[in-house]
Each structure stands twice: as C-alpha cells, then as structure tokens.
C-alpha cells in the first residue's frame, strides 16, 4: 500500500481511537458522577449515563427526581458528549467530502491490481520523459506502474483511472517491492536527478538481478556510474535530441523514415525483435536463406544479434542460425506473426 493509503489509514485510525477513547471516558465519568451525586446503583448510573449522552429522553431512574447537583451534572454531561460526537463526526465527514475517502478507495484498488501484476514495467518519475514512456508502453499494451514521491504528480496521475501508481521514494526497497519489482520485466528510471537514478538502479538491481533497467542521465560522467550501478542501458535525452536535430539538417528523410517505423506512426510496418529460442529443430544449424523468410512470410531480416553479444547488420543469406540468436525483422504485424509461427513449426 502506498504513501497516500498509509496517511489515510493513520489519520482515520487516530480519529477512531480518539472517538472511542472519548466515548468510554464519558461513560465512565457519567457512571461515577451519578453514583456519587445521586447515590444510584451501578446499573442505574450506567443507564442514566447512556440515555443522557444518547439524548433519547427516557424517564429518570430513582425514587426521587434529580437533585440540583444532579441536574447540573446532567447538563454538563450532555454538552460534553455532544461536543465529542461532533468532533468525531466532523473528522469523518472531512475524510468523505474532501475526497480523502475516494482517494483511499482508489488507492486500495490500485494496490490490489499491482499485487497481481507479472512481467510489467516500473516507471520511476513521471515527468516529461516518464509520461512519454508511459504513453509508448500503453500504446503497445504493456502493463506498467508509476512510482513518484511528489504529491502533486500523484494527484495528476490519480485523475486517470487506468493508471497504476505508487506514491513513495523509489530509492527505498519497500517502495520498489510494493511496485512488484520482483516480478517486473523492466524498470525505467527517469528522474531529473542523476544521484536519485543511481540509487534507484542500485536498489532495483540488488532486489532483482535479472531486471532490465533503463536509466536517464543528465551528465556525461553519470553514464558510467549508472552502468556500474547495474543499468542495462543509459539514455541521455539532451544528447539524443541534439544528435537528432543535427541529423535532420543533412539526413532529414532518413530520420523521418526511422521515426516512421520505430515510433509507430504507421501501423502498416514495424521493426521487431524475434527470439530464436523457440526455433524449430529443422532450422537449427541452417542458413538464413533456407529459412525462406521473405517467401513464407513477406517479412525481412535486417539484422541479427549473435548469441547475445555481436550485432550483424544486413546479414549474409548464408549465415547459420542458432537458438541463441535474435533476429531484427521488418514487416507488418501479420507478416511478423506468420514468421514466428513458421520458425517454431516442426512441419515442412
């Protein structure tokens, strides 16, 4: 449960405790008062106390009417009990009408959904970079959880019912564990502070050694620190932005063509990674040409990552495939889907 939920839980719990404490104090005080002032038995004193603070107006007990002292005591008891009940009621009403109860209910539901997530992505920091990452993941149907410690950011996130979030500092293990870092597929650290990103990367890597971690960096010297901390990749938005602007000067069509593919401006074509770990036995040890990619699917292999280490661009058709390779395939969604089916099929 996140920080907002904890705040609500603490505040509501304190209000309830104070309310119960006041009520018990009034009952004990009233019972002792009637016993000492009016010489009533314990059960009669308790009865008088209950009907007085509840203002039900039942008949007084005892052979004689209340004495002047008893009447003054009764009036004081009524005023005290009404004030206590008003205090508890106003606090509960504030939780309801100020939106605290609604926030609590939503946060509770969000926490339940997060607890069920598997193979999701954690986005730390919901600034411009974090928001763009969330839009891209949402576009591709990838589950993600936003983690941010700024209250105004969480308030903005809460306006969108479909977004899952954790309010807290991601440099703390318990916050990342609430975000499901043990079951996550990847983590994206986008905070503007490089030191915070280093701590986030260190913390996440210590919890989940197999996690893919992408971190933002503002300073060049932070790049190596983040790599040492355990980041899989480090992105420098300012550097990439500058390079893109320079490329647009002398290779504008190349840049726009790549963006057309990579940023999914067109649904007719995409560049995807195709793992060979499910490669059919009939293709193991065979060449790319024997796979007949273009013929059977219409897609094109434009690159290969060999055994997770070396990249080969525009590979030779005679290159031999293995289950440790990774293909980079260009084509429309249907073509790529068909290629995956053919690669995994044992039928000729």
């Amino acid at each position: 449960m996140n920080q907002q939920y904890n705040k609500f839980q603490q505040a509501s719990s304190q209000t309830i405790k104070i309310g119960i404490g006041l009520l018990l104090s009034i009952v004990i005080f009233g019972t002792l008062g009637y016993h000492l002032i009016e010489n009533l038995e314990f059960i009669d004193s308790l009865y008088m106390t209950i009907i007085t603070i509840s203002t039900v107006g039942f008949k007084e007990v005892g052979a004689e009417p209340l004495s002047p002292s008893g009447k003054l005591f009764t009036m004081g008891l009524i005023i005290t009990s009404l004030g206590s009940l008003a205090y508890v009621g106003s606090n509960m009403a504030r939780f309801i009408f100020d939106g605290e109860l609604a926030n609590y209910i939503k946060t509770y539901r969000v926490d339940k959904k997060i607890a069920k997530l598997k193979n999701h992505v954690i986005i730390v920091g919901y600034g411009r970079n974090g928001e763009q990452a969330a839009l891209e993941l949402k576009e591709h149907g990838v589950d993600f959880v936003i983690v941010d410690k700024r209250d105004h950011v969480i308030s903005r996130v809460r306006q969108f019912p479909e977004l899952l979030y954790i309010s807290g500092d991601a440099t703390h293990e318990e916050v990342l564990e609430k975000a499901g870092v043990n079951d996550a597929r990847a983590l994206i650290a986008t905070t503007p502070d490089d030191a915070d990103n280093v701590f986030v990367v260190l913390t996440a890597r210590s919890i989940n050694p197999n996690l893919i971690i992408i971190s933002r960096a503002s300073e060049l010297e932070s790049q190596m620190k983040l790599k040492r901390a355990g980041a899989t990749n480090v992105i420098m938005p300012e550097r990439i932005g500058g390079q893109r602007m320079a490329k647009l000067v002398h290779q504008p069509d190349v840049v726009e063509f790549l963006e057309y593919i990579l940023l999914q401006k067109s649904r007719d074509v995409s560049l995807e990674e195709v793992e060979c770990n499910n490669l059919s036995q009939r293709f193991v040890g065979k060449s790319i040409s024997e796979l007949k990619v273009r013929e059977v699917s219409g897609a094109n292999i434009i690159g290969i990552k060999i055994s997770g280490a070396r990249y080969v661009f525009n590979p030779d058709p005679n290159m031999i495939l293995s289950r440790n390779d990774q293909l980079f395939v260009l084509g429309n969604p249907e073509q790529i889907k068909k290629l995956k089916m053919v690669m995994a099929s044992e039928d000729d």
Side-chain angles (χ1 to χ4, degrees), residues 240-256 258:
I240 291 174
Q243 289 175 340
R244 180 177 178 275
M245 288 187 282
K247 288 285 186 183
L248 282 169
V249 173
H250 61 93
Q251 291 181 311
D253 292 332
V254 172
V255 174
E256 290 187 8
L258 290 174

Side-chain angles (χ1 to χ4, degrees), residues 193-210:
D193 191 322
D194 287 354
D196 283 348
N197 287 332
V198 170
F199 279 115
V200 170
V201 171
L202 277 170
T203 306
R205 180 60 69 205
S206 67
I207 299 174
N208 187 346
N210 299 318

Side-chain angles (χ1 to χ4, degrees), residues 45-205:
S45 299
L46 180 60
Y47 173 78
M48 282 294 298
T49 301
I50 297 300
I51 66 172
T52 300
I53 63 177
S54 63
T55 66
V56 295
F58 287 166
K59 188 177 182 301
E60 301 167 0
V61 297
E64 301 292 333
L66 290 177
S67 65
S69 298
K71 291 177 181 179
L72 289 172
F73 177 78
T74 301
M75 289 187 288
L77 188 61
I78 292 172
I79 294 172
T80 303
S81 61
L82 288 177
S84 301
L85 292 173
Y87 167 78
V88 176
S90 63
N91 275 279
M92 294 307 296
R94 179 172 59 82
F95 284 126
I96 295 171
F97 295 114
D98 285 355
E100 294 292 337
L101 181 61
N103 289 339
Y104 163 75
I105 293 172
K106 179 174 181 182
T107 300
Y108 179 78
R109 290 174 178 170
V110 165
D111 289 335
K112 290 292 184 183
K113 291 179 181 178
I114 292 173
K116 297 177 182 178
L117 288 180
K118 302 287 183 184
N119 205 34
H120 59 289
V121 178
I122 300 171
I123 301 175
V124 178
Y126 197 65
R128 286 171 295 182
N129 290 290
E131 187 170 1
Q132 189 59 47
L135 288 172
E136 187 74 12
L137 292 172
K138 183 180 178 182
E139 189 107 350
H140 288 80
V142 178
D143 292 326
F144 60 90
V145 177
I146 297 164
V147 179
D148 204 297
K149 60 184 177 182
R150 297 167 294 182
D151 290 338
H152 70 279
V153 172
I154 294 298
S155 296
R156 179 163 59 91
V157 172
R158 199 181 285 121
Q159 295 174 7
F160 301 92
E162 71 278 9
L163 295 181
L164 302 180
Y165 61 89
I166 294 288
S167 177
D169 189 345
T171 61
H172 298 156
E173 287 189 13
E174 61 271 17
V175 174
L176 288 179
E177 286 172 352
K178 288 173 187 174
V181 69
N182 287 300
D183 298 313
R185 165 188 174 185
L187 180 144
I188 302 175
T190 70
T191 71
D193 191 322
D194 287 354
D196 283 348
N197 287 332
V198 170
F199 279 115
V200 170
V201 171
L202 277 170
T203 306
R205 180 60 69 205

